């Protein structure tokens, strides 16, 4: 005799993951990152005020800022190795404390010793550089994979907001405080970055792939080369890094040189320069908001399309268009850059071996930040030799074509060896 099957209870849908903005551990990390961003963007503005107050000469300003860049580039490499070798939280603590100590040293040297200020700037840059890969890897330890894209979007919003709030807040405080006090305030921000973030995960998962198995601590060079070998295992990463370098070293450098000139000579006002740069940052904030929730099916291709959108910025400067078009082009470029950045960071945290994540992240920062000054140094003489329009045309073409070529690399479509499921 047939029996009626017992009905099974319907499966309840899994509850959606809690917003990362309600996670206290992430909020502490976010607060530390925001404080470091405010300190980073405020320092050049404060040093510029020192020039206006005749406490520092123009040549001295250039030397101090260059020293900070050197410190950053050296420390971002060392910091990546240390963050994979030791606790990422400890690397954040000590590197941010180093930057905090640099602030009163800068104040002590102000108007007295350019040598002391230069040495302090190296220390400040070193603290900033060592923090970057450690923060990136610590995000992966604190946030589970399902919420990392939202977390990275929140992080990049903190960075972009700092580019607006840092100089603006400093300008406001400068009406009431002197440069010496403002430098001490930057030191306090670094103290927040050092002390507020909590600990990451207790352990780092490793894959069963022999190529990613942990090895006993070797020399610095050996461990850094291990990070390079890990990066080479991911064709999408190398392709993305190449496309990012092309956009930064060519597109961003060309527009940084050309925009002030065109704002002055073509439009006869500084308004276009200020409005375009503001639109870029506001666009980046909007892009981060969009990508916090948007999960494109082919995330790699969508990210490369966003990166290529930067090409509209140099393209708008080539043509005799209304200034509103230039401002709109910069807003589009800002949106696009974050449509690339957030999935790029998220994919790196997902695909790279956890015990090598900080080293691969440091390689990302080292190449992209390291080649930017070279691009800036070459664009100005190229403009004098070939003309602004020709240089802008070449750079715009590079912004469009290099990301398109990178999108054709195997594994680039999904930023990973296998497509991700949403």
């Amino acid at each position: 005799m047939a029996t009626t099957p017992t009905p099974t209870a319907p499966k309840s849908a899994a509850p959606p993951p809690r917003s990362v903005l309600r996670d206290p551990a992430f909020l502490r990390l976010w607060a530390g990152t925001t404080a470091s961003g405010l300190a980073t963007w405020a320092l050049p503005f404060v040093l510029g005020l020192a020039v206006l107050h005749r406490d520092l000469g123009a040549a001295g300003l250039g030397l101090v800022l260059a020293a900070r860049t050197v410190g950053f580039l050296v420390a971002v490499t060392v910091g990546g190795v240390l963050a994979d070798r030791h606790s990422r939280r400890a690397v954040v603590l000590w590197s941010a404390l180093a930057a905090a100590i640099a602030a009163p040293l800068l104040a002590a040297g102000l108007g007295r010793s350019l040598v002391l200020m230069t040495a302090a700037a190296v220390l400040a840059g070193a603290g900033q550089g060592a923090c970057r890969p450690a923060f990136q890897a610590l995000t992966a330890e604190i946030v589970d994979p399902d919420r990392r894209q939202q977390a990275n979007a929140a992080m990049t919003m903190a960075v972009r907001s700092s580019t607006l709030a840092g100089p603006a807040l400093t300008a406001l405080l400068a009406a009431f405080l002197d440069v010496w006090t403002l430098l001490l305030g930057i030191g306090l921000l670094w103290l927040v970055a050092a002390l507020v973030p909590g600990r990451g995960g207790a352990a780092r998962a490793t894959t069963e792939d022999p190529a990613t198995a942990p090895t006993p601590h070797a020399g610095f060079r050996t461990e850094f080369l291990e990070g390079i070998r890990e990066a080479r295992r991911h064709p999408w990463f190398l392709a993305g890094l190449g496309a990012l370098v092309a956009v930064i070293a060519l597109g961003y450098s060309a527009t940084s040189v050309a925009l002030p000139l065109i704002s002055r000579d073509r439009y006869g006002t500084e308004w276009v320069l200020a409005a375009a740069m503001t639109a870029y940052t506001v666009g980046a904030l909007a892009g981060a908001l969009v990508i916090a929730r948007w999960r494109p099916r082919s995330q790699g291709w969508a990210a490369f399309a966003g990166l290529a959108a930067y090409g509209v910025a140099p393209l708008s400067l080539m043509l005799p268009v209304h200034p509103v078009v230039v401002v709109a082009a910069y807003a589009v470029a800002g949106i696009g850059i974050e449509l690339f950045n957030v999935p790029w960071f998220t994919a790196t945290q997902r695909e790279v071996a956890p015990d090598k994540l900080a080293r691969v992240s440091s390689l990302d920062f080292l190449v992209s930040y390291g080649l930017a000054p070279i691009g800036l140094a070459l664009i100005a003489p190229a403009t004098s030799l070939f003309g602004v329009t020709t240089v802008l045309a070449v750079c715009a073409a590079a912004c469009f074509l290099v990301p398109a070529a990178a999108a054709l690399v195997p594994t680039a479509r999904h930023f990973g060896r296998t497509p991700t499921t949403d």
Side-chain angles (χ1 to χ4, degrees), residues 76-77 80-81 84 88 133 136-137 223-234 236-238 241 344 347-349 351-367:
V76 76
T77 305
V81 173
D84 280 339
R88 275 94 185 242
Q136 184 77 359
E223 292 197 20
F224 183 69
L225 290 177
E226 286 179 1
I228 295 178
R229 284 194 292 271
E230 172 63 21
R232 291 174 59 187
R233 294 180 59 247
H234 306 280
W236 63 268
F237 181 85
L238 296 180
L241 193 57
W344 169 260
T348 303
Q349 293 162 347
E351 298 290 327
V352 170
D355 62 316
K356 298 180 177 65
L357 176 56
R359 277 171 283 179
V360 173
S361 297
S362 71
L363 181 65
D364 177 6
F365 294 127
L366 177 66
V367 172

Side-chain angles (χ1 to χ4, degrees), residues 200-282:
R204 299 172 195 168
T206 56
T207 65
E208 297 179 357
D209 188 341
T212 64
T215 58
H217 293 319
F220 167 81
R221 180 176 178 274
T222 300
E223 292 197 20
F224 183 69
L225 290 177
E226 286 179 1
I228 295 178
R229 284 194 292 271
E230 172 63 21
R232 291 174 59 187
R233 294 180 59 247
H234 306 280
W236 63 268
F237 181 85
L238 296 180
L241 193 57
L244 187 60
V245 166
V247 170
I248 292 177
L250 295 177
Y252 186 80
S253 296
T255 54
S256 296
V257 172
L259 179 60
L261 299 176
I262 290 175
S263 179
R264 180 196 65 192
D265 298 339
R266 180 187 298 169
Y267 300 109
T269 176
E270 296 177 355
W271 174 86
V272 178
L273 170 62
M277 297 308 298
T278 302
Y280 178 79
T281 302
V282 172

Side-chain angles (χ1 to χ4, degrees), residues 310-333:
Y310 192 90
V312 301
L315 189 63
S316 70
L317 298 178
M318 291 172 52
L319 307 172
V321 296
H322 192 277
V324 173
V325 176
V326 175
V327 175
Y330 269 79
V332 170

Side-chain angles (χ1 to χ4, degrees), residues 149 152-161 163 280-292 294 302-303 306-307 309-310 331-346:
Q149 184 151 322
N152 286 318
M155 287 292 197
T156 197
M157 288 182 67
V159 173
R160 296 300 179 183
S161 298
T163 65
Y280 178 79
T281 302
V282 172
L285 288 170
L289 282 173
V290 170
I291 203 61
W294 182 40
L307 185 61
Y310 192 90
V332 170
I335 293 171
I337 204 71
E338 294 308 335
L339 294 183
F340 173 83
N341 278 340
V342 174
W344 169 260
F345 292 144
T346 305

Side-chain angles (χ1 to χ4, degrees), residues 108 123 184 186 224-225 268 302 365 371:
L123 183 61
L184 294 183
I186 290 174
F224 183 69
L225 290 177
F365 294 127
L371 293 182

